[in-house]
Structures are given as C-alpha cells and as structure tokens.
Amino acid sequence: MTAPTLAVWKFASCDGCQLTLLNCEDELLAIAGAIQIANFTEASRQVLPGPYDVSIVEGSITTPSDAARIREVREKSRFLITIGACATAGGVQALRNFRDDLAPVVYASPQYIDSLRTSTPIAEHVHVDFELRGCPIDKRQLIEVIAAFLAGRRPNVRAHSVCMECKRAGRVCVMVAHGTPCLGPMTQAGCGALCPSVGRGCYGCFGPAPGWTFLPFGTAEPVRTEDDSHDVR
C-alpha cells in the first residue's frame, strides 16, 4: 500500500510556520514513517509530482503569480490546510490593505513591482479544508491536524478564545486584576495563553476568535457578530 503524500508550500511569509514543522523533530520522525514527504523545499530538494493527499500552505496571496499557483496547488491536493496568520488572515503584510499604494514610497522604480494591491488569506482564493491559526503556529496543534487528516477524522483543535485557556489553567485575569490591556477575549486560542501566564496582556497573535469581525483601522472597534466565518474549520 502506498503511503499518503504530504506537500508543504510557501507563499508570502517569513517561513516561521514551516520552521515550526521542522522543529517538531521527534514527533515529525514518528509521522514521517507513515507518510511520504513529496514536496517540502525547506527540508529537502526532492520534489515529487502530484496529486497529493495533504497539502500544507504557509503565506498569503500578494502577487498575480501567487493567485495562479494556489489554484494549481488546490487542484493537485485532496486536502488543503492553511497554517499561520499570513495564510489564514493575510498576515502583517495585509496592513497595506488599509492604505494607499505604498510601492512608489518604498521602491525607486515601482513600475517593476508586479504585486496585487492587497494581501489576502488563501481561503479568499480557493477552498480550504482546515485553517490553523498562529504566528507562529503551535507545533502540538500542527501534529494533531496532520495526524487527524491522515486518520480520516476531524482535528481536535477547539475554536474558542484565549480567555478559556487562562480559566482552565487557573490563571488570574491580567485585565481584571491589574488593568492590563489584553486581547484575550477576542483572540483564537492555541498558544496556551503564553503572555497572560507571565503577567502580560494577549497580543492577538492567533487572530480573531470565532464571531469577531475586525474593521479597518480608524473606523470602529471590533464587534461581535453571529457570523462564524472566522471559525476554525
């Protein structure tokens, strides 16, 4: 029986989430015995042609070639999983979405820059089977997601806020106890409430929790809605 194939793809990103996969070390070795890594240029020069059973995508779509390439990846992949803030929310580079075109300010010859006006998540271009948030992602969640898809079950990654992680760990709320600004109530869980555990407020690294909508800067505060479009699939 042929082992399932895994492909890892990079778009506009810092490679931090791919490094999280490499840093799994012992856990990755255990999974590697059950799969065939067909495309992962950060780890190996070996590139096998598709189709692929599982594709993991890091990074946002920022150029016309990116938009075309992600459609090709989707066509070759049985399951497509996006990892990290760039792939699931557009990343830091999406700040340009709320400003005028900055290319003439940054580059001496902007006519040579072939990029889209916006930085957008993968799900705005193709169907995504699962979104794993984080900046970078949590390696325990990543292993759980890969193992779940290989086993044909739903990943056990819960869609709730960082506040839930604090409460389960018995930590004192930094906002209530000390008046420290904290984005925990509106941020997707997954980090283990790392910042509140050392007395700091949550910075929102894992992006909006289910039901929160973030509007462009200078318009309004985040609002709670009935829309579950930000839910972890």
Side-chain angles (χ1 to χ4, degrees):
M1 183 176 178
T2 305
T5 52
L6 172 70
V8 182
W9 309 90
K10 170 185 165 58
F11 287 81
S13 62
C14 70
D15 286 30
C17 292
Q18 291 186 77
L19 287 175
T20 298
L21 177 56
L22 290 175
N23 288 339
C24 289
E25 298 177 346
D26 292 342
E27 296 91 340
L28 183 60
L29 288 175
I31 289 182
I35 63 174
Q36 181 178 24
I37 298 179
N39 187 349
F40 189 5
T41 54
E42 190 153 321
S44 172
R45 289 180 294 179
Q46 174 180 262
V47 176
L48 301 178
Y52 308 103
D53 290 293
V54 178
S55 275
I56 295 176
V57 179
E58 177 194 56
S60 64
I61 303 300
T62 60
T63 67
S65 60
D66 282 347
R69 187 162 66 98
I70 191 58
R71 289 192 291 271
E72 294 176 2
V73 171
R74 176 68 269 187
E75 290 174 359
K76 296 178 181 178
S77 308
R78 181 184 177 193
F79 297 113
L80 191 148
I81 302 166
T82 54
I83 61 172
C86 295
T88 60
V92 173
Q93 55 269 30
L95 290 173
R96 74 189 193 191
N97 298 0
F98 309 118
R99 299 291 303 272
D100 296 332
D101 187 9
L102 297 176
V105 179
V106 177
Y107 300 99
S109 302
Q111 65 271 24
Y112 297 112
I113 305 300
D114 184 22
S115 66
L116 298 173
R117 178 63 189 81
T118 58
S119 172
T120 48
I122 302 299
E124 290 196 15
H125 298 264
V126 297
H127 171 70
V128 173
D129 295 292
F130 196 86
E131 291 181 324
L132 185 61
R133 301 178 184 274
C135 185
I137 53 174
D138 180 81
K139 75 173 188 177
R140 295 164 300 180
Q141 288 190 338
L142 177 60
I143 293 296
E144 163 60 20
V145 170
I146 295 175
F149 274 92
L150 291 176
R153 60 175 176 82
R154 182 175 178 80
N156 183 21
V157 176
R158 299 185 180 182
H160 54 240
S161 71
V162 171
C163 283
M164 292 292 291
E165 294 188 320
C166 275
K167 298 300 181 292
R168 287 172 175 167
R171 299 189 180 108
V172 174
C173 177
V174 296
M175 184 184 296
V176 174
H178 309 296
T180 303
C182 182
L183 295 178
M186 62 185 71
T187 300
Q188 167 65 37
C191 64
L194 180 61
C195 290
S197 70
V198 294
R200 296 171 58 181
C202 171
Y203 280 65
C205 298
F206 275 55
W212 285 96
T213 298
F214 285 84
L215 302 177
F217 298 114
T219 54
E221 295 182 357
V223 294
R224 186 73 171 177
T225 70
E226 297 300 323
D227 179 19
D228 287 332
S229 60
H230 291 292
D231 197 359
V232 177
R233 294 180 175 87

